[in-house]
Amino acid sequence: MPKIFDFTRFSLRDLIATAGPTVLVIAVLCALAYVLADPQPPAVVRISTGQENGAYEGFAKKYAAELARYHIKVEMTPSLGSLQNLQRLMDPVSQIDIGFVQSGSTEQEDAERNGLISLGSLFTEPVWLFYRDTHDISELNQLKGLHINVGPAGTGVPQLFKKLLSVNGVAPDELQLGALENTPATVALLAGTIDGMVFSSAPDELLIQMLLQTPGIKLFDFTQAEAYTRRFPFLSHVVLPRGIVDLGRDLPARDYQLIAPTATLVAREGIHPALVDLFVQSATRIHGRAGWFQRQGEFPTASYTEVPVAPAAAKYYKTGPSFLQHYFPFWLSNFMERMWVVVVAVGALFIPLSRIVPPLYVWKVRSRVYRWYGQLRSVEQAIEDVPNNKRKEVYALQLGHLNGIEEKVNQISIPLSFAEELYGLRSHINFVRNRIIGLQGVIDIENGPATD
């Protein structure tokens, strides 16, 4: 026995057919926006550090540990120092993404022209001039004729120290400037083969800690430190407090005035925005504590750098983490911050589409009923103006056609809310059938009873 009707709560097939193209378009747009927004940072970042056992190398290891928490590998590339790091960042062939650069190493115009951005100043790097106590030096012009090591050209110190000599009226050729790296230079100073050595570094460097406690080695006191900072804006005046090295032994025995550029994190302009956030947040944890030359929270900062500061970094230093970063893990907050434009665009697209889909769904379901009206109409047309001698044959043929239509209509599966249309179609089929049967009866009457 054929089933009469099959009703469902809704037609999943029709829903997919009507809403599918819309969903597909939105999915394609979301995928394209995801590719363009690129919310996820790269898995590897390359940083140019500094000399072996130096402060830059030590801090780079701390950044590597911080970013490892987010499954990002930091590849460290040793260098001579600040100037070589800067050269690598300016080199388009170099694969370096970020590096430590000392303030005063470049000009703002050069940084902008080479597409460099600063992620902020991290800490002060005082200029340390150590010399043997056989010399009595209170002014830089008293260095004439001495052998002073300023390090390799890649460190940036030779360039800085020559500027300091120039404002003291000393030409570089009036003393012997050495180019040894810090470790062999320290050995040479202790052995007495050089008279002094100058380098710029954070006090965390082991060589500084050692030299400050070595008998026979003195630290130069920049008594005119404030004047130097006025001549060179990238320098700041810092004080090495009495007893900071060893309170018990009162080392040093007095305050020392020092001048200091700052170490900055400099990156290529195209660095992924998520990496900017990660490095800035890591810098706050690594460099935010109080130190020999800084108060709690003084560093990192957007100040003391001639390289343009990245907008995201400047915003972080001004207002702190974003609202989402306060309440969500970094990967999720970063994803939402990068994709919010897409969410708004999809929302704007969804509103008009949501008004189109329901009518399409209704039309799709009703079309499964209404399409039979075309065949029903063809049956009616077939029984119109039929020659008398063919009426009986045509009526029988169309009645069979009509029975076939009804059988197929009875197999339709349709949501219950559209039952009225289905029952209406069935009644119309019966109407046409009754009409054909009525016409057959007329034929029988016209022909009269059969005679022998």
Side-chain angles (χ1 to χ4, degrees), residues 46 50 104 120 178 182 188 198 209 252 255 282 285 322 343 352 375 382 398:
R46 298 169 181 83
N182 292 342
V198 58
Q209 300 282 342
D255 290 349
S282 299
R285 290 189 289 268
S322 67
V343 173
Q375 297 194 36
Q398 294 305 319

Side-chain angles (χ1 to χ4, degrees), residues 243-254:
I244 189 68
V245 177
D246 191 324
L247 286 169
R249 292 189 293 163
D250 193 25
L251 292 177
R254 60 183 178 86

Side-chain angles (χ1 to χ4, degrees), residues 114-274:
N114 287 279
L116 301 183
I117 55 172
S118 170
L119 306 190
S121 300
L122 308 178
F123 51 88
T124 55
E125 291 189 296
V127 176
W128 306 90
L129 173 54
F130 291 100
Y131 60 94
R132 297 184 62 80
D133 61 2
T134 53
H135 304 284
D136 185 16
I137 302 172
S138 58
E139 304 292 340
L140 289 185
N141 55 22
Q142 296 174 329
L143 296 176
K144 293 179 180 180
L146 300 183
H147 186 173
I148 305 296
N149 189 82
V150 294
T155 63
V157 174
Q159 176 182 335
L160 173 60
F161 194 63
K162 288 176 182 178
K163 291 180 180 179
L164 300 180
L165 291 176
S166 66
V167 295
N168 283 274
V170 180
D173 57 1
E174 293 185 88
L175 65 163
Q176 187 177 351
L177 299 179
L180 295 174
E181 293 187 14
N182 292 342
T183 300
T186 302
V187 174
L189 178 63
L190 296 177
T193 55
I194 62 175
D195 299 300
M197 63 178 293
V198 58
F199 56 102
S200 179
S201 176
D204 306 72
E205 189 160 342
L206 295 177
L207 292 178
I208 294 174
Q209 300 282 342
M210 183 193 71
L211 290 171
L212 287 172
Q213 302 179 63
T214 301
I217 302 298
K218 287 185 176 182
L219 174 64
F220 180 77
D221 189 2
F222 285 86
T223 55
Q224 300 170 307
E226 195 62 32
Y228 282 107
T229 62
R230 305 297 174 86
R231 296 293 294 271
F232 303 106
F234 60 87
L235 295 176
S236 57
H237 176 194
V238 297
V239 178
L240 181 68
R242 175 178 178 177
I244 189 68
V245 177
D246 191 324
L247 286 169
R249 292 189 293 163
D250 193 25
L251 292 177
R254 60 183 178 86
D255 290 349
Y256 278 83
Q257 311 301 313
L258 301 176
I259 54 175
T262 58
T264 63
L265 264 181
V266 176
R268 297 180 189 271
E269 203 170 33
I271 189 172
H272 196 284

